[in-house]
Each structure stands twice: as structure tokens, then as C-alpha cells.
Amino acid sequence: MQATFIHQFNSGFTLFLSLLVEAIPFLLLGVLFSSLLLWFVDEQKLLSYIPPHPLLGAFMGSLVGFLFPVCECGNVPVARRLLLQGVPSSVAIGFLFAAPTINPIVIWSTWVAFRDQPEIVILRVLFSLTIATTLGWLFSVQKDLRPIVQPAIARALPIVDPPKPPASDLVASSLLQSGTYFLGESEQPLRLESLPAWKTQRLLKKNQVKKESVTVKPSLPPWKTIFLTPTQERWSSMLENMVQEFRELGGVLVLGSFIAALIQVAVPREFILNLGQSPVTSILAMLLLAGVVSICSTVDSFFALSFSSAFTSGSLLAFLVFGPMIDIKTVGLMLSVFKARAVFYLVILAFQLTFLFTLVVNLNFS
């Protein structure tokens, strides 16, 4: 019995390390893209390219994976950065669920594995894109994301439609806003930016006021602001952001990998394989296997290929579509952004849509 325990421990530890070794590079890639979005992407320009319609916005977000080819470990920091930059929730959630599959690396690896079954490649892309767009569109109903995200994320989100202050507080509240004001010209303070050009010049000359612009940057240690050039300071801030995000998400990744390895050792794989005897139970078995195995989307097609002789086409698609969206590692990472209730809804909706789509495939091809 002791030998069996030692064997299981060694197997579990090996699986744990393999999951980490496989996932950490993609998490680093996602954190890198997140920091690049923070410093080199103007969120206002990004918002200007997003269609105002929630459904079109979700569809566009689902296609962004072609620009950011990240795995299911790297999509979470990128989606979080999109939310913090004010991108609509439909776009961010569409990207969150589609990016692990709708990117050239995964599409190419799926084609290599299933070149004799091109319908698997096509349906994987089609189902993943449809489910991600649907989830993004459904969650666009929630205009203010603060009730469904973690408190740290909620505090950093841009304000959506802030309430207007009472009329009696207009003077005080307006003076708390950024800008240049003149008092004494009327009962209300005059905002310099809202005045015509000719009046602005006259007031500036009369009051001898110098208009200055204010730039807001993340705070850095004093020694860095003294010895670093602006370009070096910019890169230093980006690296600090990368380290902070990797520290936050890396801990969750380690915990999720440990749980995934524990389940794989404790639950016999034969028990899961024996369920794949009918169009319904085969899909349920592969959905369960996809959530437990937590394999990277760039190589999961080769893992699914090993079951192609014993499982139906619909169940293989269920593994390929649901696994990159929802697994133990991904749920842990998503909990660092969303509250448990929102993650639960996302998991259930993704599960139901994947089951329905792949069941149609089984019923038509059986």
C-alpha cells in the first residue's frame, strides 16, 4: 500500500509540475500583452473602433485573439486589462472565452492533429466563436460591472454614468474637477475649456493665467524619477506592472494546478472513459475530462486525438471547445477578476451551450 501511495504521489507531483511548466510561459505572455496594452495602447482609440452594438462588440472581442494569441492562462490578465481600460464587458468577455481557441496557433495545431477530419477544425472554431460572442452579449446587459467583479478591480474600473450632483452643490463639485476656472465673472465658476477661443484669450490676458496640462502616471520611487529618463521610467513602470500581475495570477495558477493534479490522481481515468458509450454520456464524460485535465489549448487537440477511436465526434468537440474556456486553472484565474457568482454563471452557460451544440453533432453524425 505504501508503494502505491508513493507511486500516486510521484504521478501527482509530475502532473503538477507539467501543468506549471506548460502554463507559466503562456501566463507570462498574457501578462506581457497586458502591460503592453497598459502603456502602448490608447484606450480612447481602442474604444473608437468598437461597434456600439453589444452583439457586434462581443463578436469583435471574440476575434481579438488573432491579435493576441494567448492560451487559457494568458487570456485572463489581458481581459482584465481591457476591462480596466474601459472596454465594454461584451468585448472583454468575448475575448476571455474565444482567445484560447480563436488564434492562429491553436487553429494550426488542431489542423495538424485532425487533418483527416477537417469538420472538427471548422466546428471547433465556429462553436467557440458562437459561444464566446453569446456570453459577451448576455453579460453586456450588466452596464456597471462593479457588483460582479472583485473589490480591487471594482475600485480601478472607470465610472459609468456618474450621478449628477444637486444644484446646490454645482459650484463645489465643479471646482473639484480637473481644469482651469475663473471666479468672479458670474455666479457660477467658468471652466476655461468650455469657453470660446476669443473669450479664453481675453481672460488669460486679463488674469495672467498660464494654462498647463496635467499628466497622470503611476507613482514610482523617488530615486527612479531622479535618475531615469522618461523613456526608462516608462519601461520600468511597465516591468513593475508585469511583476505585480504575475505575482497575483501566479499564486492562483499554482493552486489550480495542484487541484487539477490531485483530481487526476484520485479519480481513475477508466471511470471517466467508461461513460463514453452514448451520444449524451460521451459528451458529459469529455466535458468533465476537459475541466479536470486542464491541458493547454495549443496541445489539447493531440490529447483529444488519442480518444478519437473510442469517442464520438461531438464528444471530441466538447473537449476541444469547453476545455480552453473552462477548466480548474481558468476558474481560479477568473476568480481573481470576477466574483464567485459571476464565474458560476459563466461556467454554467458555457457548459450548456457546449453540450447543446455538440449534442446536435452527435445526433446528426451518429
Side-chain angles (χ1 to χ4, degrees):
M1 184 174 181
Q2 183 178 2
T4 303
F5 173 78
I6 294 176
H7 175 72
Q8 289 182 340
F9 176 81
N10 291 335
S11 300
F13 187 70
T14 302
L15 289 172
F16 170 73
L17 290 181
S18 64
L19 287 173
L20 282 182
V21 170
E22 181 184 56
I24 284 179
F26 295 97
L27 179 60
L28 283 171
L29 183 62
V31 170
L32 173 62
F33 278 121
S34 172
S35 299
L36 290 176
L37 280 173
L38 172 64
W39 288 108
F40 297 103
V41 175
D42 186 350
E43 61 271 20
Q44 298 302 323
K45 291 184 179 179
L46 185 63
L47 289 173
S48 65
Y49 290 111
I50 296 175
H53 194 278
L55 183 59
L56 295 179
F59 180 74
M60 179 180 176
S62 301
L63 294 176
V64 174
F66 278 99
L67 302 177
F68 302 101
V70 293
C71 186
E72 65 268 17
C73 299
N75 61 335
V76 176
V78 177
R80 179 171 71 170
R81 177 57 55 201
L82 291 174
L83 288 175
L84 295 179
Q85 285 184 302
V87 173
S89 59
S90 59
V91 179
I93 293 178
F95 171 84
L96 177 66
F97 284 92
T101 303
I102 309 301
N103 71 71
I105 299 175
V106 174
I107 294 175
W108 176 77
S109 65
T110 308
W111 172 260
V112 172
F114 290 95
R115 63 181 63 186
D116 296 332
Q117 296 175 276
E119 66 277 5
I120 296 292
V121 183
I122 297 173
L123 291 177
R124 183 186 193 185
V125 174
L126 180 61
F127 289 170
S128 300
L129 186 60
T130 303
I131 293 173
T133 302
T134 302
L135 292 177
W137 177 54
L138 291 176
F139 270 73
S140 66
V141 177
Q142 182 75 29
K143 300 300 182 183
D144 188 3
L145 294 180
R146 285 173 176 79
I148 65 173
V149 298
Q150 295 294 341
I153 305 297
R155 289 192 294 267
L157 286 176
I159 299 177
V160 179
D161 296 332
K164 295 182 179 180
S168 58
D169 297 336
L170 284 177
V171 175
S173 62
S174 61
L175 291 177
L176 295 177
Q177 300 176 3
S178 61
T180 305
Y181 294 87
F182 293 101
L183 299 177
E185 297 288 335
S186 63
E187 296 180 357
Q188 299 291 341
L190 298 178
R191 186 182 178 90
L192 179 63
E193 292 81 357
S194 63
L195 298 177
W198 64 270
K199 193 169 185 179
T200 298
Q201 296 297 330
R202 189 182 70 177
L203 289 174
L204 287 173
K205 183 177 181 180
K206 178 180 179 181
N207 294 273
Q208 296 181 352
V209 177
K210 181 180 179 182
K211 183 181 177 182
E212 298 179 353
S213 60
V214 179
T215 303
V216 180
K217 304 187 293 187
S219 58
L220 290 174
W223 66 270
K224 289 190 176 183
T225 59
I226 296 175
F227 296 105
L228 296 181
T229 64
T231 302
Q232 292 173 336
E233 182 180 338
R234 186 183 185 91
W235 282 101
S236 177
S237 299
M238 190 189 75
L239 291 175
E240 288 188 1
N241 181 78
M242 290 178 58
V243 172
Q244 179 181 356
E245 287 198 340
F246 183 77
R247 184 173 63 248
E248 294 174 359
L249 299 177
V252 181
L253 176 62
V254 171
L255 179 60
S257 299
F258 171 76
I259 296 174
L262 181 64
I263 293 178
Q264 289 188 64
V265 174
V267 180
R269 184 168 297 180
E270 292 77 9
F271 174 77
I272 300 177
L273 295 178
N274 290 333
L275 299 177
Q277 302 299 324
S278 73
V280 175
T281 59
S282 62
I283 294 176
L284 294 176
M286 293 303 283
L287 287 173
L288 177 63
L289 187 63
V292 170
V293 171
S294 303
I295 196 169
C296 177
S297 61
T298 56
V299 296
D300 62 353
S301 55
F302 300 97
F303 184 86
L305 182 63
S306 62
F307 299 99
S308 59
S309 59
F311 277 76
T312 61
S313 299
S315 62
L316 296 177
L317 278 170
F319 180 88
L320 294 173
V321 172
F322 186 74
M325 292 183 180
I326 302 295
D327 59 32
I328 294 176
K329 301 194 309 294
T330 305
V331 170
L333 293 172
M334 289 171 61
L335 286 173
S336 66
V337 180
F338 299 98
K339 292 183 178 179
R341 180 182 61 180
V343 174
F344 175 78
Y345 289 149
L346 289 170
V347 171
I348 292 300
L349 288 173
F351 183 93
Q352 292 176 339
L353 290 174
T354 304
F355 178 81
L356 290 176
F357 288 162
T358 54
L359 180 61
V360 170
V361 173
N362 272 350
L363 294 178
N364 290 332
F365 289 93
S366 59

